[in-house]
PDB file of all heavy atoms in Angstrom:
ATOM      1  N   ASN A   5      -2.399   4.738   6.430  1.00 36.00           N
ATOM      2  CA  ASN A   5      -3.634   4.002   6.883  1.00 36.00           C
ATOM      3  C   ASN A   5      -4.740   5.210   7.024  1.00 36.00           C
ATOM      4  O   ASN A   5      -4.503   6.152   7.674  1.00 36.00           O
ATOM      5  CB  ASN A   5      -3.427   3.409   8.154  1.00 36.00           C
ATOM      6  CG  ASN A   5      -4.572   2.439   8.543  1.00 36.00           C
ATOM      7  OD1 ASN A   5      -5.684   2.866   8.622  1.00 36.00           O
ATOM      8  ND2 ASN A   5      -4.256   1.209   8.767  1.00 36.00           N
ATOM      9  N   ILE A   6      -5.895   4.875   6.422  1.00 36.00           N
ATOM     10  CA  ILE A   6      -7.043   5.842   6.605  1.00 36.00           C
ATOM     11  C   ILE A   6      -7.457   6.170   7.947  1.00 36.00           C
ATOM     12  O   ILE A   6      -8.068   7.145   8.276  1.00 36.00           O
ATOM     13  CB  ILE A   6      -8.278   5.375   5.672  1.00 36.00           C
ATOM     14  CG1 ILE A   6      -9.230   6.466   5.543  1.00 36.00           C
ATOM     15  CG2 ILE A   6      -8.818   4.153   6.241  1.00 36.00           C
ATOM     16  CD1 ILE A   6      -8.826   7.734   4.951  1.00 36.00           C
ATOM     17  N   LEU A   7      -7.141   5.298   8.775  1.00 39.00           N
ATOM     18  CA  LEU A   7      -7.512   5.525  10.254  1.00 39.00           C
ATOM     19  C   LEU A   7      -6.894   6.810  10.783  1.00 39.00           C
ATOM     20  O   LEU A   7      -7.421   7.414  11.720  1.00 39.00           O
ATOM     21  CB  LEU A   7      -7.075   4.356  11.164  1.00 39.00           C
ATOM     22  CG  LEU A   7      -7.775   2.997  10.941  1.00 39.00           C
ATOM     23  CD1 LEU A   7      -7.243   1.957  11.792  1.00 39.00           C
ATOM     24  CD2 LEU A   7      -9.279   3.162  11.191  1.00 39.00           C
ATOM     25  N   TRP A   8      -5.736   7.146  10.160  1.00 40.00           N
ATOM     26  CA  TRP A   8      -5.188   8.524  10.560  1.00 40.00           C
ATOM     27  C   TRP A   8      -6.045   9.610  10.040  1.00 40.00           C
ATOM     28  O   TRP A   8      -6.280  10.571  10.707  1.00 40.00           O
ATOM     29  CB  TRP A   8      -3.842   8.675   9.841  1.00 40.00           C
ATOM     30  CG  TRP A   8      -2.724   7.875  10.619  1.00 40.00           C
ATOM     31  CD1 TRP A   8      -2.859   7.079  11.670  1.00 40.00           C
ATOM     32  CD2 TRP A   8      -1.364   7.815  10.202  1.00 40.00           C
ATOM     33  NE1 TRP A   8      -1.656   6.574  11.961  1.00 40.00           N
ATOM     34  CE2 TRP A   8      -0.703   6.973  11.142  1.00 40.00           C
ATOM     35  CE3 TRP A   8      -0.659   8.470   9.114  1.00 40.00           C
ATOM     36  CZ2 TRP A   8       0.605   6.721  11.071  1.00 40.00           C
ATOM     37  CZ3 TRP A   8       0.699   8.119   9.114  1.00 40.00           C
ATOM     38  CH2 TRP A   8       1.323   7.280   9.924  1.00 40.00           C
ATOM     39  N   PHE A   9      -6.573   9.477   8.859  1.00 39.00           N
ATOM     40  CA  PHE A   9      -7.120  10.591   8.214  1.00 39.00           C
ATOM     41  C   PHE A   9      -8.585  10.691   8.467  1.00 39.00           C
ATOM     42  O   PHE A   9      -9.209  11.875   8.402  1.00 39.00           O
ATOM     43  CB  PHE A   9      -6.936  10.543   6.688  1.00 39.00           C
ATOM     44  CG  PHE A   9      -5.502  10.555   6.383  1.00 39.00           C
ATOM     45  CD1 PHE A   9      -4.845   9.584   5.646  1.00 39.00           C
ATOM     46  CD2 PHE A   9      -4.663  11.645   6.809  1.00 39.00           C
ATOM     47  CE1 PHE A   9      -3.487   9.546   5.294  1.00 39.00           C
ATOM     48  CE2 PHE A   9      -3.347  11.709   6.555  1.00 39.00           C
ATOM     49  CZ  PHE A   9      -2.714  10.696   5.821  1.00 39.00           C
ATOM     50  N   ARG A  10      -9.316   9.717   8.598  1.00 41.00           N
ATOM     51  CA  ARG A  10     -10.822   9.753   8.677  1.00 41.00           C
ATOM     52  C   ARG A  10     -11.197  10.474  10.023  1.00 41.00           C
ATOM     53  O   ARG A  10     -12.293  10.944  10.183  1.00 41.00           O
ATOM     54  CB  ARG A  10     -11.521   8.379   8.683  1.00 41.00           C
ATOM     55  CG  ARG A  10     -11.039   7.513   9.759  1.00 41.00           C
ATOM     56  CD  ARG A  10     -11.872   6.172   9.806  1.00 41.00           C
ATOM     57  NE  ARG A  10     -11.339   5.296  10.765  1.00 41.00           N
ATOM     58  CZ  ARG A  10     -11.402   5.313  12.006  1.00 41.00           C
ATOM     59  NH1 ARG A  10     -11.993   6.442  12.599  1.00 41.00           N
ATOM     60  NH2 ARG A  10     -10.926   4.438  12.850  1.00 41.00           N
ATOM     61  N   ARG A  11     -10.290  10.634  11.043  1.00 39.00           N
ATOM     62  CA  ARG A  11     -10.613  11.254  12.327  1.00 39.00           C
ATOM     63  C   ARG A  11     -10.943  12.758  12.142  1.00 39.00           C
ATOM     64  O   ARG A  11     -11.442  13.296  12.951  1.00 39.00           O
ATOM     65  CB  ARG A  11      -9.528  10.960  13.247  1.00 39.00           C
ATOM     66  CG  ARG A  11      -9.499   9.513  13.606  1.00 39.00           C
ATOM     67  CD  ARG A  11      -8.341   9.110  14.495  1.00 39.00           C
ATOM     68  NE  ARG A  11      -8.310   7.670  14.683  1.00 39.00           N
ATOM     69  CZ  ARG A  11      -7.342   7.046  15.297  1.00 39.00           C
ATOM     70  NH1 ARG A  11      -6.220   7.705  15.659  1.00 39.00           N
ATOM     71  NH2 ARG A  11      -7.387   5.764  15.374  1.00 39.00           N
ATOM     72  N   GLY A  12     -10.384  13.275  10.973  1.00 37.00           N
ATOM     73  CA  GLY A  12     -10.734  14.688  10.687  1.00 37.00           C
ATOM     74  C   GLY A  12     -11.917  14.788   9.767  1.00 37.00           C
ATOM     75  O   GLY A  12     -12.124  15.884   9.155  1.00 37.00           O
ATOM     76  N   VAL A  13     -12.734  13.831   9.477  1.00 41.00           N
ATOM     77  CA  VAL A  13     -13.692  13.794   8.440  1.00 41.00           C
ATOM     78  C   VAL A  13     -15.088  13.433   8.952  1.00 41.00           C
ATOM     79  O   VAL A  13     -15.690  12.487   8.551  1.00 41.00           O
ATOM     80  CB  VAL A  13     -13.333  12.780   7.283  1.00 41.00           C
ATOM     81  CG1 VAL A  13     -14.087  13.045   6.035  1.00 41.00           C
ATOM     82  CG2 VAL A  13     -11.843  12.971   6.990  1.00 41.00           C
ATOM     83  N   PRO A  14     -15.611  14.107   9.949  1.00 41.00           N
ATOM     84  CA  PRO A  14     -16.816  13.566  10.580  1.00 41.00           C
ATOM     85  C   PRO A  14     -18.106  13.736   9.810  1.00 41.00           C
ATOM     86  O   PRO A  14     -19.075  12.900   9.857  1.00 41.00           O
ATOM     87  CB  PRO A  14     -16.939  14.361  11.835  1.00 41.00           C
ATOM     88  CG  PRO A  14     -16.226  15.583  11.592  1.00 41.00           C
ATOM     89  CD  PRO A  14     -15.107  15.293  10.603  1.00 41.00           C
ATOM     90  N   MET A  15     -18.414  14.782   9.082  1.00 43.00           N
ATOM     91  CA  MET A  15     -19.723  14.973   8.549  1.00 43.00           C
ATOM     92  C   MET A  15     -19.869  15.943   7.349  1.00 43.00           C
ATOM     93  O   MET A  15     -20.421  16.980   7.420  1.00 43.00           O
ATOM     94  CB  MET A  15     -20.497  15.544   9.734  1.00 43.00           C
ATOM     95  CG  MET A  15     -19.996  16.742  10.455  1.00 43.00           C
ATOM     96  SD  MET A  15     -20.820  17.107  11.988  1.00 43.00           S
ATOM     97  CE  MET A  15     -22.501  17.319  11.475  1.00 43.00           C
ATOM     98  N   LEU A  16     -19.268  15.519   6.313  1.00 46.00           N
ATOM     99  CA  LEU A  16     -19.368  16.334   5.101  1.00 46.00           C
ATOM    100  C   LEU A  16     -20.668  16.613   4.651  1.00 46.00           C
ATOM    101  O   LEU A  16     -21.105  17.766   4.175  1.00 46.00           O
ATOM    102  CB  LEU A  16     -18.576  15.676   3.881  1.00 46.00           C
ATOM    103  CG  LEU A  16     -17.060  15.720   4.012  1.00 46.00           C
ATOM    104  CD1 LEU A  16     -16.454  14.883   2.856  1.00 46.00           C
ATOM    105  CD2 LEU A  16     -16.525  17.060   3.977  1.00 46.00           C
ATOM    106  N   ALA A  17     -21.570  15.606   4.791  1.00 44.00           N
ATOM    107  CA  ALA A  17     -22.958  15.833   4.261  1.00 44.00           C
ATOM    108  C   ALA A  17     -23.702  16.890   5.079  1.00 44.00           C
ATOM    109  O   ALA A  17     -24.600  17.565   4.478  1.00 44.00           O
ATOM    110  CB  ALA A  17     -23.718  14.494   4.291  1.00 44.00           C
ATOM    111  N   ILE A  18     -23.443  17.044   6.357  1.00 44.00           N
ATOM    112  CA  ILE A  18     -24.083  17.998   7.199  1.00 44.00           C
ATOM    113  C   ILE A  18     -23.771  19.435   6.666  1.00 44.00           C
ATOM    114  O   ILE A  18     -24.558  20.338   6.828  1.00 44.00           O
ATOM    115  CB  ILE A  18     -23.789  17.875   8.608  1.00 44.00           C
ATOM    116  CG1 ILE A  18     -24.235  16.478   9.037  1.00 44.00           C
ATOM    117  CG2 ILE A  18     -24.371  18.887   9.419  1.00 44.00           C
ATOM    118  CD1 ILE A  18     -23.912  16.162  10.538  1.00 44.00           C
ATOM    119  N   LEU A  19     -22.612  19.545   6.002  1.00 44.00           N
ATOM    120  CA  LEU A  19     -22.283  20.861   5.546  1.00 44.00           C
ATOM    121  C   LEU A  19     -23.307  21.346   4.366  1.00 44.00           C
ATOM    122  O   LEU A  19     -23.419  22.548   4.145  1.00 44.00           O
ATOM    123  CB  LEU A  19     -20.855  20.885   4.898  1.00 44.00           C
ATOM    124  CG  LEU A  19     -19.730  20.421   5.912  1.00 44.00           C
ATOM    125  CD1 LEU A  19     -18.448  20.583   5.307  1.00 44.00           C
ATOM    126  CD2 LEU A  19     -19.760  21.090   7.220  1.00 44.00           C
ATOM    127  N   LEU A  20     -24.052  20.358   3.839  1.00 43.00           N
ATOM    128  CA  LEU A  20     -24.971  20.766   2.799  1.00 43.00           C
ATOM    129  C   LEU A  20     -26.042  21.704   3.440  1.00 43.00           C
ATOM    130  O   LEU A  20     -26.754  22.425   2.773  1.00 43.00           O
ATOM    131  CB  LEU A  20     -25.697  19.546   2.291  1.00 43.00           C
ATOM    132  CG  LEU A  20     -24.737  18.448   1.705  1.00 43.00           C
ATOM    133  CD1 LEU A  20     -25.587  17.312   1.127  1.00 43.00           C
ATOM    134  CD2 LEU A  20     -23.789  18.936   0.717  1.00 43.00           C
ATOM    135  N   LEU A  21     -26.224  21.573   4.805  1.00 43.00           N
ATOM    136  CA  LEU A  21     -27.209  22.266   5.481  1.00 43.00           C
ATOM    137  C   LEU A  21     -26.715  23.593   6.103  1.00 43.00           C
ATOM    138  O   LEU A  21     -27.427  24.305   6.815  1.00 43.00           O
ATOM    139  CB  LEU A  21     -27.828  21.400   6.616  1.00 43.00           C
ATOM    140  CG  LEU A  21     -28.218  19.986   6.232  1.00 43.00           C
ATOM    141  CD1 LEU A  21     -28.789  19.261   7.436  1.00 43.00           C
ATOM    142  CD2 LEU A  21     -29.436  20.140   5.155  1.00 43.00           C
ATOM    143  N   SER A  22     -25.450  23.903   5.749  1.00 43.00           N
ATOM    144  CA  SER A  22     -24.746  24.894   6.554  1.00 43.00           C
ATOM    145  C   SER A  22     -24.615  26.299   5.901  1.00 43.00           C
ATOM    146  O   SER A  22     -23.972  27.185   6.453  1.00 43.00           O
ATOM    147  CB  SER A  22     -23.361  24.427   6.887  1.00 43.00           C
ATOM    148  OG  SER A  22     -23.370  23.180   7.615  1.00 43.00           O
ATOM    149  N   GLY A  23     -25.182  26.485   4.822  1.00 43.00           N
ATOM    150  CA  GLY A  23     -25.139  27.805   4.077  1.00 43.00           C
ATOM    151  C   GLY A  23     -23.791  28.128   3.788  1.00 43.00           C
ATOM    152  O   GLY A  23     -23.256  29.255   4.118  1.00 43.00           O
ATOM    153  N   CYS A  24     -23.002  27.311   3.070  1.00 41.00           N
ATOM    154  CA  CYS A  24     -21.646  27.637   2.705  1.00 41.00           C
ATOM    155  C   CYS A  24     -21.572  28.857   1.878  1.00 41.00           C
ATOM    156  O   CYS A  24     -22.438  29.130   1.040  1.00 41.00           O
ATOM    157  CB  CYS A  24     -21.039  26.565   1.926  1.00 41.00           C
ATOM    158  SG  CYS A  24     -20.935  24.965   2.878  1.00 41.00           S
ATOM    159  N   SER A  25     -20.467  29.733   2.040  1.00 48.00           N
ATOM    160  CA  SER A  25     -20.398  30.941   1.357  1.00 48.00           C
ATOM    161  C   SER A  25     -20.224  30.684  -0.158  1.00 48.00           C
ATOM    162  O   SER A  25     -20.571  31.597  -0.945  1.00 48.00           O
ATOM    163  CB  SER A  25     -19.257  31.721   1.935  1.00 48.00           C
ATOM    164  OG  SER A  25     -18.016  31.090   1.784  1.00 48.00           O
ATOM    165  N   SER A  26     -19.651  29.741  -0.525  1.00 71.00           N
ATOM    166  CA  SER A  26     -19.339  29.500  -1.976  1.00 71.00           C
ATOM    167  C   SER A  26     -20.425  28.518  -2.575  1.00 71.00           C
ATOM    168  O   SER A  26     -20.539  27.431  -2.153  1.00 71.00           O
ATOM    169  CB  SER A  26     -17.966  28.807  -2.146  1.00 71.00           C
ATOM    170  OG  SER A  26     -17.765  28.337  -3.405  1.00 71.00           O
TER     171      SER A  26
END
Side-chain angles (χ1 to χ4, degrees):
N5 194 305
I6 189 60
L7 292 178
W8 284 0
F9 299 121
R10 63 171 170 73
R11 292 172 184 168
V13 193
M15 50 193 306
L16 286 176
I18 296 179
L19 304 187
L20 307 184
L21 310 175
S22 303
C24 299
S25 59
S26 167

